Amino acid sequence: MIPVITAAVAPSRYTFECLTKGAKEFTINIPSDKTENAINITGSMSGKNTDKFKQANLEIIPGKRTKVPTIKDCILSYECKIIHECESGSMASHRLFIGEILAAYASNEIIK
Ligand SMILES: Cc1cc2nc3c(=O)[nH]c(=O)nc-3n(C[C@H](O)[C@H](O)[C@H](O)COP(=O)(O)O)c2cc1C
């Protein structure tokens, strides 16, 4: 069994364009107290015309196993390679991107 995680993304998102036309990789980053306010910006603005990292004051860390970065000061980050895609069906008009977790990083905050 390989470790996987699924991201559900609507076709209208710029993220969708990145996932389907880009490197076929993504990272999942769980915010900490330090980065949680960024969700208001990253979850409401589109990266199509805006540098959301800059707007949300987020720093990136180059991926070690992927070409895509992780986000600094998160409690948990996964670097993933897309191994399968499918439609979500009647649940919502999202596509499910199933990523094999190639690397995982956790902060001491959740390890201790
Ligand atoms: C808490 C939260 C969770 C969200 N989860 C999803 C999600 O699972 N899939 C999705 O497509 N959009 C989700 N959204 C909406 C997108 O984050 C939002 O439309 C964003 O502006 C898209 O940016 P993009 O165009 O750069 O991809 C969520 C928003 C918030 C605030």
Side-chain angles (χ1 to χ4, degrees):
M1 285 257 284
I2 57 168
V4 296
I5 191 163
T6 302
V9 183
S12 57
R13 315 284 189 236
Y14 175 60
T15 302
F16 187 91
E17 204 177 313
C18 296
L19 289 169
T20 51
K21 295 183 183 159
K24 295 282 181 183
E25 295 171 339
F26 62 86
T27 65
I28 298 281
N29 300 273
I30 309 298
S32 64
D33 289 351
K34 207 170 166 186
T35 47
E36 68 180 358
N37 288 336
I39 294 172
N40 294 330
I41 293 170
T42 57
S44 61
M45 298 175 83
S46 177
K48 196 172 179 73
N49 305 307
T50 312
D51 182 345
K52 289 201 276 189
F53 293 105
K54 204 171 170 184
Q55 290 285 336
N57 216 11
L58 292 172
E59 285 183 53
I60 58 172
I61 302 169
K64 289 188 175 68
R65 301 281 310 275
T66 57
K67 296 183 197 74
V68 291
T70 54
I71 297 174
K72 200 178 164 193
D73 294 325
C74 285
I75 55 170
L76 185 63
S77 295
Y78 291 135
E79 290 186 36
C80 306
K81 177 182 81 174
I82 297 171
I83 54 167
H84 187 65
E85 293 172 34
C86 59
E87 302 310 318
S88 61
S90 57
M91 187 175 77
S93 55
H94 283 42
R95 188 178 293 178
L96 305 180
F97 293 89
I98 294 145
E100 177 184 350
I101 302 170
L102 303 177
Y105 314 96
S107 76
N108 288 335
E109 212 177 309
I110 61 166
I111 292 173
K112 281 177 185 166

